[in-house]
Structure formats: C-alpha cells, structure tokens
Amino acid sequence: MQHTVTRHSVMTYTQLIRCNMCCCCPAVLLSQLEHAAERPVPQQQLGRHHQAVLYAKPRAHADVYGAFVLCIPCSMDLLSCRSPHHGDVFLSASGDTTVRLWDLRQPTPTLVVAAHAFEVLSADWCKYNDCIMATGSIDKTIKIWDVRQPQQPLTTLHGHSYAVRRVQFSPHAESLLASCAYDMSVKLWDYRAPEDALLRSWDHHTEFAIGLDFSLLREGLMASAGWDEWTCVWQAPHGMP
C-alpha cells in the first residue's frame, strides 16, 4: 500500500465543527458562524430533530445551523455533498439517535428511522440504489438500511472499537463502503459478503480518523483525514473491489 500524506497545521475537520468528541456543540458552531464574512441565508427552514443535528446528507445542497436543517444557496457548499438521485430529498443524522428523510417540498420529514441506540454521527446514500443508506454511530456499528423497510436494518457491520465517525459508499461498486472511526482506523466493507463483510483495515492515523472519501475518477483511490493533522491518500491493493 502506498500513502501520500499531507500534514495540516491544525486539526482537520470535516462535515461539522466538533466538540467533546461525540456531540455537536452549538456554542462552537455559532461562534464560528459569527466570525464568518457572510452567514448562510436559508432558502427554506424545515422541521427539527430533538437534539443537535450531527450530519446532513443532501440530494440538494444543505447546511446545518444550530439544530435546524437548512437549504442554502448552491454557491455556499459548506457542509454538504451532492447525491446522484433526487434533488429535493436528503438525509440528516442526529444526536437524538434518528436518521430522517426530508423532502424540501414537505414541512415535516417523510421518514424517521430509529437507527441506533446512541448518537448517529454519519449517513450516506448508496450511489447505485436510492433506497439504500448506511449509518454510523457512537455505538461502534454501521447499519445498512432499505428505506422501503425501515423497521430493521438489512445488516449490521461490527469491527470498530470506538464511535464510527464517517461512512461513505463507493462510487464504483454498489455494495462497497468505507468507514472511519475514533479507533483511528479506516475500514473497507462489502455489506453483501456472505461471510466476513470486512475486506481491509488501515491504521495509518495516530488520532481520531474523522474524514473519508473515495476518488470519483480513479477506482480504488481513497483519502482520509484525522485529528493527527494528517490527510492520507492511498490506492487499495490491485484486485480489491
């Protein structure tokens, strides 16, 4: 495995400003926004979770402000990323242990999934099936869901020893996803594998691994970021899905 690493002068943050490891701190978030040159102006304000929103995964552009989920102008691509499916629908994950499916045309969530027993830190859509999503939680697990049957997960992936900070589906294979966690590891999974879903684990970070993504252009190329101030980029071994 080859690594290309870049070190930052401060801790690398992705998706949200984090405080005290496992919960979003509104005071820190508001303080950062107050010092910004321009505060995002919401196009629309939807309903709210019962606790702070830890992650919002849009199929349009979205941001979080306090515990509200906001749709902001496309030029303000701060805490969001595009989905290949429906432009008016997105997911949010929260400290209230739920994942909610939102439609910008509706004032309330169209689906509420009691996803985990503890805070949900991340959620992502499958790039090939708009009914499949993955969630990661403080409870150390990753769960795969079909929104048409949300009563129970399709499968639960075990392998991390601390909170799962980020889950990300591969853009190159339908059942492939990666995760990073506060155990400092990055893991690659095939949730449809008949036996062991864990394909590979990397331990190149020395502090919490909090950011993760796949290259859209080069299959197998991955990147991660951590509290150790390092961004690591590597190519998965040849022949791996």
Side-chain angles (χ1 to χ4, degrees), residues 157-237:
L157 306 177
H158 300 271
H160 285 291
S161 55
Y162 287 96
V164 179
R165 182 62 186 85
R166 182 90 148 104
V167 292
Q168 185 80 17
F169 273 103
S170 169
H172 303 290
E174 181 174 351
S175 62
L176 199 68
L177 71 154
S179 60
C180 64
Y182 290 157
D183 61 9
M184 302 178 285
S185 72
V186 176
K187 298 184 185 295
L188 188 66
W189 312 81
D190 183 345
Y191 77 86
R192 288 180 176 171
E195 296 180 359
D196 189 1
L198 180 61
L199 300 177
R200 188 69 183 265
S201 182
W202 294 275
D203 298 301
H204 44 248
H205 287 289
T206 58
E207 295 288 346
F208 298 150
I210 59 173
L212 173 70
D213 210 349
F214 290 92
S215 170
L216 292 173
L217 302 179
R218 184 186 300 178
E219 186 171 358
L221 188 66
M222 301 173 64
S224 64
W227 280 21
D228 54 8
E229 305 172 10
W230 288 97
T231 297
C232 302
V233 182
W234 71 99
Q235 182 74 39

Side-chain angles (χ1 to χ4, degrees), residues 16-19 21-27 29 52-54 64 66 121:
L16 282 180
I17 299 166
R18 301 287 301 158
C19 179
M21 296 190 298
C22 64
C23 62
C24 179
C25 178
L29 184 58
V53 176
L54 302 176
V64 290
L121 300 182

